[in-house]
Amino acid sequence: FFPTEMARTQRNKATAHHLGLLKARLAKLRRELITPKGGSGGGTGEGFDVAKTGDARVGFVGFPSVGKSTLLSNLAGVYSEVAAYEFTTLTTVPGVIRYKGAKIQLLDLPGIIEGAKDGKGRGRQVIAVARTCNLILIVLDVLKPLVHKKLIEHELEGFGIRLNKQPPNIGFKKKDKGGINFTATCAQTELDAETVKSILAEYKIHNADITLRSDSTADDLIDVVEGNRVYIPCIYVLNKIDQISIEELDIIYKVPHCVPISAHHRWNFDDLLERMWDYLQLVRIYTKPKGQLPDYTSPVVLPDGRTAVEDFCLKIHKNLIKEFKYALVWGSSVKHNPQKVGKDHVLEDEDVIQLVKK
């Protein structure tokens, strides 16, 4: 009912309020679909989720028979069953590659189909595993139209995964009393106090502080209020390029976030790995025992945004931070080499660190 209603409604300032309400209602119903209500909870998918290992996790998402398993087999050397019929892969198949000293876990997920977000064809479990990844590779078949890209994006969006987006810059704080306090630090084209109030009322929130720091849409506000959205970088991998002409390849290379490969012939894997590394934004820290040369073979790998010396200590062992006195750091994050730093110093890629204990 809602989508037809939204399509029927003219878009102008007068109806923006009504559309915002419909969007909120739709998002709420969707969430109830995703998280089933109480009850015995039924059995979960047999052996679906895989233990997280390595420094980062990359999931392959795509329709059946686009070459996800072939890609995994040829990248990681793990055998994932390949055959000429759809849905060969029925559960998650993990594989690990070492790249630039980091261990990256690759997950070959079963193919998803249209309607996966509503639970078709085990879609729910597949997308639930995709939510836990640090990077999603959407594997597409070059010969099939780009409609597939839109469909997969739509399935993932419907499940609260936002691809290649930053979280909206909206401050949201619930209160006990005082009504809705609405402030916008820049001009808003879509949201006004009235619309915000009605969207929040739909969630039964009547007291809150809302600060809009950028020009936001109703969907952005709903994302913030729902609070269960994950923001994951994504690369579109166009497989089977051995079946098209050079001219077509030139056009494909202009599409953003996109890498053409051939999984079967192992073409262009280095470009794909390099792009994966860029999107994962991992930071490598080399360790240096006292009086020895730094160990450049096995870095400690930290995710971007959690690269303080304290995080480095916790990654190695949680008791290290108790004995921590100071650290000596060589590299681009310090002015002098070496420099004495405390536990709050933020490290950068390929820094060398030596810890000094109490």
Side-chain angles (χ1 to χ4, degrees):
F1 161 70
F2 290 121
T4 50
E5 169 82 10
M6 278 160 83
R8 263 209 321 257
T9 311
Q10 275 187 331
R11 281 173 189 268
N12 55 38
K13 280 183 188 153
T15 60
H17 176 79
H18 178 62
L19 281 170
L21 262 178
L22 287 174
K23 276 182 184 163
R25 228 167 266 170
L26 196 62
K28 211 163 114 194
L29 291 169
R30 271 223 182 104
R31 187 191 53 200
E32 283 166 15
L33 262 179
I34 293 171
T35 50
K37 289 273 191 308
S40 61
T44 49
E46 263 73 67
F48 218 83
D49 202 2
V50 180
K52 212 169 188 173
T53 58
D55 302 305
R57 189 174 210 187
V58 179
F60 297 164
V61 178
F63 282 106
S65 294
V66 290
K68 297 187 291 297
S69 300
T70 315
L71 181 58
L72 179 77
S73 314
N74 288 345
L75 267 178
V78 180
Y79 182 65
S80 177
E81 199 177 330
V82 181
Y85 53 87
E86 303 195 330
F87 294 111
T88 321
T89 312
L90 291 172
T91 63
T92 311
V93 181
V96 173
I97 52 170
R98 286 198 78 95
Y99 188 66
K100 295 193 180 181
K103 274 166 101 174
I104 299 174
Q105 184 184 34
L106 304 174
L107 295 183
D108 176 20
L109 298 171
I112 61 173
I113 47 175
E114 215 177 327
K117 65 177 189 304
D118 311 322
K120 267 194 201 153
R122 282 205 128 177
R124 250 185 226 171
Q125 290 107 314
V126 176
I127 304 184
V129 177
R131 271 181 76 110
T132 64
C133 296
N134 306 96
L135 167 69
I136 290 179
L137 295 188
I138 292 188
V139 188
L140 301 164
D141 192 332
V142 161
L143 304 169
K144 303 219 172 103
L146 273 176
V147 177
H148 281 192
K149 172 171 169 259
K150 288 227 168 56
L151 284 174
I152 292 177
E153 281 172 353
H154 183 69
E155 297 299 321
L156 295 177
E157 296 250 319
F159 217 82
I161 297 175
R162 300 283 176 266
L163 302 171
N164 289 332
K165 274 189 192 163
Q166 290 303 314
N169 198 351
I170 297 178
F172 171 64
K173 198 170 150 207
K174 283 189 194 177
K175 298 180 299 189
D176 294 338
K177 53 180 193 286
I180 302 281
N181 191 4
F182 171 78
T183 43
T185 53
C186 59
Q188 298 293 323
T189 50
E190 191 174 313
L191 292 175
D192 52 14
E194 197 59 28
T195 314
V196 171
K197 266 187 190 149
S198 61
I199 290 177
L200 290 177
E202 192 56 52
Y203 283 98
K204 300 194 171 60
I205 297 172
H206 302 294
N207 303 300
D209 289 337
I210 293 279
T211 318
L212 302 177
R213 301 190 192 88
S214 59
D215 188 5
S216 313
T217 63
D219 292 325
D220 290 343
L221 179 64
I222 290 167
D223 280 356
V224 171
V225 177
E226 285 268 359
N228 60 356
R229 306 289 188 243
V230 284
Y231 295 86
I232 304 179
C234 159
I235 299 175
Y236 303 105
V237 180
L238 289 175
N239 190 13
K240 309 190 185 176
I241 54 167
D242 48 315
Q243 301 172 17
I244 59 168
S245 64
I246 300 283
E247 293 80 38
E248 289 171 299
L249 198 55
D250 286 341
I251 297 170
I252 287 169
Y253 246 111
K254 297 193 177 95
V255 181
H257 309 299
C258 181
V259 182
I261 61 153
S262 168
H264 186 64
H265 295 282
R266 300 174 182 239
W267 294 349
N268 209 8
F269 275 11
D270 44 358
D271 194 21
L272 174 63
L273 286 167
E274 193 52 50
R275 188 73 73 92
M276 267 164 60
W277 182 259
D278 286 349
Y279 279 60
L280 283 169
Q281 293 186 310
L282 297 172
V283 174
R284 291 161 293 175
I285 309 295
Y286 300 114
T287 53
K288 177 188 177 309
K290 197 169 179 190
Q292 292 173 29
L293 285 169
D295 174 14
Y296 286 118
T297 53
S298 50
V300 174
V301 180
L302 301 171
D304 187 50
R306 292 208 295 275
T307 57
V309 177
E310 187 172 4
D311 298 312
F312 168 81
C313 294
L314 288 171
K315 172 96 185 190
I316 296 172
H317 199 277
K318 57 179 182 287
N319 288 345
L320 247 181
I321 199 76
K322 291 175 188 159
E323 303 169 352
F324 178 82
K325 190 175 177 190
Y326 64 88
L328 293 169
V329 175
W330 293 257
S332 56
S333 67
V334 287
K335 290 197 179 87
H336 320 289
N337 281 334
Q339 185 173 325
K340 253 190 188 185
V341 298
K343 66 175 201 270
D344 296 331
H345 174 76
V346 176
L347 299 161
E348 285 177 15
D349 195 25
E350 304 207 74
D351 279 358
V352 175
I353 188 170
Q354 175 187 329
L355 295 179
V356 180
K357 294 183 181 175
K358 285 175 182 155

